[in-house]
Amino acid sequence: MTAATPSASVPEPIPTEVELADAMMRASKRMRRATFHRLAPHGLTPSQGRALDTLAWSGGQGIRLNQLAERLRIAPRSATTVVDALEAAGLVTRSPDPDDRRATLLKLTESGDAAVAQIAAVRREVAEEFFGPVSAADRVSLLHLLRVAEESYELAHPHHHGPHAHPHP
């Protein structure tokens, strides 16, 4: 008896939407886990990393705590806890909002900027490890397909893409 070998003429079954979603979630989880595992020795948690990234997107103008909470989709009290830790680590400062003295603006410090750069470098490293074996043509196709799926979803569910969604270039 010989083992059955797949025939080149037999088409692969079309993956279901659930199979695609599961594969995407597994890939995303692996990349996030690897990224934050590498950042842990630097004392950064996933929540702190997300907050630093969000503050970096403010372009140095700073944002209010309630805006940070909204963009991170967490409760303001949880955002306060994250910001307290970032401030204690010297990565974030609080200052009065010049437009509303009752409000406080959050801004990155020089150390915070360095942490954001470190996060970006680690993310780039993990992405290179994950997608390095993928051909350039397949990368182009994959990115195109993901954008098509995302745009189709956003058209069908315009209120679901959230306040912190960043447009792709």
Side-chain angles (χ1 to χ4, degrees):
M1 249 184 166
T2 60
T5 57
S7 170
S9 64
V10 176
E12 287 190 42
I14 297 172
T16 67
E17 290 83 355
V18 171
E19 288 173 307
L20 291 172
D22 286 348
M24 285 181 52
M25 289 194 305
R26 278 192 311 274
S28 178
K29 284 179 183 179
R30 284 185 180 130
M31 286 184 285
R32 287 184 58 160
R33 198 175 312 124
T35 299
F36 287 106
H37 175 73
R38 293 177 193 190
L39 290 173
H42 304 286
L44 293 172
T45 67
S47 296
Q48 292 168 346
R50 289 179 55 227
L52 290 171
D53 279 345
T54 302
L55 288 170
W57 277 92
S58 74
Q61 301 302 310
I63 61 174
R64 294 179 182 180
L65 185 69
N66 65 332
Q67 292 171 313
L68 178 66
E70 184 179 301
R71 291 178 186 173
L72 294 176
R73 295 182 180 165
I74 60 176
R77 179 67 193 121
S78 297
T80 299
T81 301
V82 170
V83 170
D84 288 346
L86 292 172
E87 186 177 36
L91 302 175
V92 171
T93 61
R94 289 178 164 111
S95 60
D97 184 338
D99 296 331
D100 181 353
R101 306 258 306 130
R102 297 169 298 169
T104 301
L105 286 181
L106 307 170
K107 293 184 181 180
L108 293 175
T109 63
E110 282 186 36
S111 295
D113 284 330
V116 168
Q118 187 173 36
I119 291 167
V122 167
R123 288 180 66 212
R124 203 169 26 257
E125 180 182 296
V126 169
E128 287 169 2
E129 289 173 7
F130 200 86
F131 292 108
V134 179
S135 74
D138 284 346
R139 289 181 200 186
V140 169
S141 295
L142 178 59
L143 184 58
H144 171 74
L145 295 171
L146 290 171
R147 286 180 175 167
V148 167
E150 181 180 22
E151 289 169 10
S152 296
Y153 182 85
E154 287 179 2
L155 284 173
H157 306 89
H159 58 286
H160 286 194
H161 56 269
H164 71 287
H166 302 295
H168 47 70

